[in-house]
Amino acid sequence: MTADVSLSRLDDDDYPAYTMGRAAEMLGTSQNFLRAIGEARLITPLRSPGGHRRYSRYQLRIAARARELVDQGTPIEAACRIIILEDQLEEAQRINAEHRRTAGSANPTAAA
């Protein structure tokens, strides 16, 4: 049963399954890059009981976007800020769409 629980966690985008070394390898970047985006508070890796950084797939996607911007010449601090703003915009758009759906279903004649 423990194996089933562990396997289901691997499907979870937020499960911190990757060590810093593996994450850096997957992204094709250095561990220092991961530390830098952590210091810029773009991502906050979880810590293992031994204090080692662990990254989720969601965090790796964010780190990959940061690397893309840095590779294009954007300073790391600016890249982190851009990603944070992109995330906030996406969330605001999601909330607005939800409000429109709610308002439309509450007052179907106003939508017509």
Side-chain angles (χ1 to χ4, degrees):
M1 179 145 162
T2 304
D4 292 337
V5 172
S6 296
L7 289 176
S8 68
R9 287 184 178 168
L10 293 177
D11 290 335
D12 182 355
D13 269 358
D14 295 319
Y15 181 70
Y18 303 97
T19 63
M20 177 181 268
R22 180 69 179 129
E25 179 183 312
M26 290 171 68
L27 295 169
T29 192
S30 68
Q31 293 182 14
N32 284 336
F33 177 79
L34 292 172
R35 284 186 197 95
I37 62 175
E39 289 170 10
R41 296 185 180 169
L42 179 61
I43 59 174
T44 304
L46 279 108
R47 297 283 182 150
S48 69
H52 300 282
R53 291 174 179 89
R54 305 284 295 192
Y55 297 88
S56 68
R57 288 189 307 202
Y58 174 74
Q59 290 172 324
L60 293 182
R61 284 195 300 274
I62 293 171
R65 174 70 175 127
R67 178 162 186 246
E68 177 184 306
L69 289 170
V70 169
D71 286 350
Q72 293 172 1
T74 306
I76 197 161
E77 297 81 13
C80 292
R81 185 67 182 140
I82 288 167
I83 294 166
I84 290 166
L85 291 170
E86 287 174 342
D87 188 53
Q88 289 172 345
L89 176 59
E90 184 179 319
E91 178 67 8
Q93 289 172 333
R94 186 194 62 75
I95 291 168
N96 284 342
E98 181 62 32
H99 284 301
R100 282 189 208 105
R101 278 192 298 276
T102 302
S105 64
N107 190 2
T109 57

